Amino acid sequence: DPIKLLAALGIRYVGKQTSKLLINSFGSIENIMKTNPEDITLIHGISDTVANSLKEYTPTQNPYSINHWRMAISSNASIRVN
């Protein structure tokens, strides 16, 4: 579930509800990460703070999470998030 996965990446201000808005708007985590902050803020309920947090996020901030992200993107694997 990409919504749960995005929420679990540890990106500041991106929880389950924000993840749902983002995935529903952009379709995938990869698309979100490629989108510029200005386009992200066009989504009702997404603030500049969230958009900037996504822009500043680098996978090396949490190597454990990026390995899960890569695995999910490459194989459509299911990852359980508590």
Side-chain angles (χ1 to χ4, degrees):
D1 181 2
I3 294 169
K4 290 180 182 177
L5 180 59
L6 180 59
L9 287 177
I11 301 170
R12 192 172 183 150
Y13 309 115
V14 179
K16 199 170 185 179
Q17 187 61 34
T18 300
S19 295
K20 185 176 181 178
L21 290 170
L22 290 165
I23 293 293
N24 287 341
S25 296
F26 296 105
S28 72
I29 294 171
E30 189 174 40
N31 289 342
I32 294 165
M33 296 304 184
K34 290 191 279 186
T35 302
N36 68 53
E38 292 78 23
D39 289 339
I40 291 172
T41 59
L42 295 176
I43 302 168
H44 180 73
I46 304 291
S47 68
D48 290 340
T49 304
V50 171
N52 288 329
S53 186
L54 285 162
K55 179 183 173 186
E56 293 170 4
Y57 176 78
T58 57
T60 57
Q61 290 173 329
N62 188 342
Y64 179 75
S65 67
I66 193 56
N67 288 335
H68 280 75
W69 181 73
R70 284 183 182 145
M71 182 177 69
I73 295 298
S74 66
S75 68
N76 292 325
S78 266
I79 298 173
R80 183 179 174 156
V81 178
N82 294 329

